[in-house]
């Protein structure tokens, strides 16, 4: 009989969570910042781009002081940059493009002000680089290289800590701003004094269902 009660209790909890769950989609701008440090000197490489994501909000605690929940998600990010100049009559171009797949698992606190629901969130973000391509052309000659090749010293994986704030309107529309701080050294080579860490600033809008 106790097992029956446990199953019923688990089912009630499951459906209670499901009743407070919400699926969302979002798009926005992101700025990827690769900080390379060598012998106490920093060199920043900034790439601009966009992201698209899907999230799943689960509110598991609701009190008069607000709501506490979990927001796992899946995010695709693109970032790139290019520059060109003319040297001795030869026009040169250089570009770099990166794509990532991120899995954030954020703890989210929300407080409803009737007109708007404010929120703050934080948690780990697992990140996997899908592509990282550098392209250089001088006149009619073009070279193209991937940072994830066999001899690469650029790590594909990273673990970040995500922090941010957001606001939801009419229970359907939302906006947020945040920053993901990379914890791992992306440089995988043999130089002891060289490190490469990644940070991502983003701002975006979304729709809840």
């Amino acid at each position: 009989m106790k097992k029956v009660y446990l199953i019923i209790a688990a089912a009630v909890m499951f459906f209670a969570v499901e009743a407070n769950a919400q699926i969302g989609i979002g798009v926005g701008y992101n700025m990827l910042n690769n900080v390379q440090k060598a012998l106490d000197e920093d060199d920043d490489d900034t790439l601009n781009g966009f992201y698209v994501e899907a999230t799943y909000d689960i509110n598991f605690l609701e009190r008069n002081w607000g709501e506490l929940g979990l927001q796992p998600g899946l995010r695709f990010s693109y970032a790139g940059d290019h520059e060109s100049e003319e040297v001795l009559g030869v026009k040169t171009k250089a570009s770099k493009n990166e794509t990532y797949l991120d899995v954030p698992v954020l703890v989210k606190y929300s407080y409803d002000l009737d007109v708007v629901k404010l929120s703050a969130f934080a948690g780990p973000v697992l990140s996997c680089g899908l592509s990282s391509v550098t392209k250089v052309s001088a006149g009619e000659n073009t070279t193209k290289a991937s940072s994830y090749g066999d001899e690469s010293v650029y790590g594909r994986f990273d673990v970040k800590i995500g922090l941010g704030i957001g606001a939801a309107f009419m229970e359907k529309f939302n906006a947020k701003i945040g920053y993901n701080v990379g914890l791992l050294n992306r440089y995988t080579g043999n130089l002891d004094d060289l490190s490469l860490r990644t940070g991502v600033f983003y701002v975006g809008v979304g729709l809840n269902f």
Side-chain angles (χ1 to χ4, degrees), residues 6-166:
L6 288 174
I7 293 173
I8 293 174
V12 170
M13 292 180 62
F14 174 78
F15 284 111
V17 170
E18 286 297 306
N20 291 296
Q22 195 171 42
I23 297 174
I25 58 173
V27 297
Y29 160 81
N30 59 220
M31 180 177 69
L32 176 69
N33 188 30
N34 291 320
V35 180
Q36 179 176 295
K37 177 178 283 189
L39 300 176
D40 296 327
E41 293 186 3
D42 294 348
D43 184 18
D44 292 5
D45 182 19
T46 301
L47 307 176
N48 298 286
F50 66 90
Y51 74 85
V52 294
E53 69 174 358
T55 58
Y56 191 67
D57 284 85
I58 306 170
N59 292 327
F60 51 77
L61 185 61
E62 185 174 351
R63 296 291 186 269
N64 56 2
W65 45 260
E67 299 175 1
L68 191 64
L70 194 66
Q71 187 188 67
L74 189 64
R75 172 181 295 182
F76 171 82
S77 299
Y78 164 85
D81 191 24
H82 69 277
E83 58 183 14
S84 62
E85 62 179 344
E86 189 169 320
V87 179
L88 299 177
V90 179
K91 191 172 184 179
T92 61
K93 297 181 181 179
S95 65
K96 185 175 183 179
N97 301 284
E98 299 198 15
T99 59
Y100 290 87
L101 188 64
D102 294 336
V103 180
V105 184
L106 307 175
V107 176
K108 184 177 178 181
Y109 166 77
S110 303
Y111 190 81
D112 197 345
L113 298 175
D114 293 332
V115 178
V116 59
K117 179 185 285 188
L118 302 178
S119 62
F121 47 87
V125 180
L126 307 179
S127 182
C128 176
L130 301 178
S131 66
S132 178
V133 178
T134 301
K135 186 177 179 181
V136 178
S137 62
E140 298 181 355
N141 299 319
T142 301
T143 59
K144 187 176 180 181
S146 171
S147 297
Y148 298 136
D150 294 336
E151 300 180 359
S152 171
V153 293
Y154 186 42
R156 186 185 293 269
F157 299 100
D158 198 2
V159 177
K160 302 182 178 75
I161 292 295
L163 304 167
I165 56 175

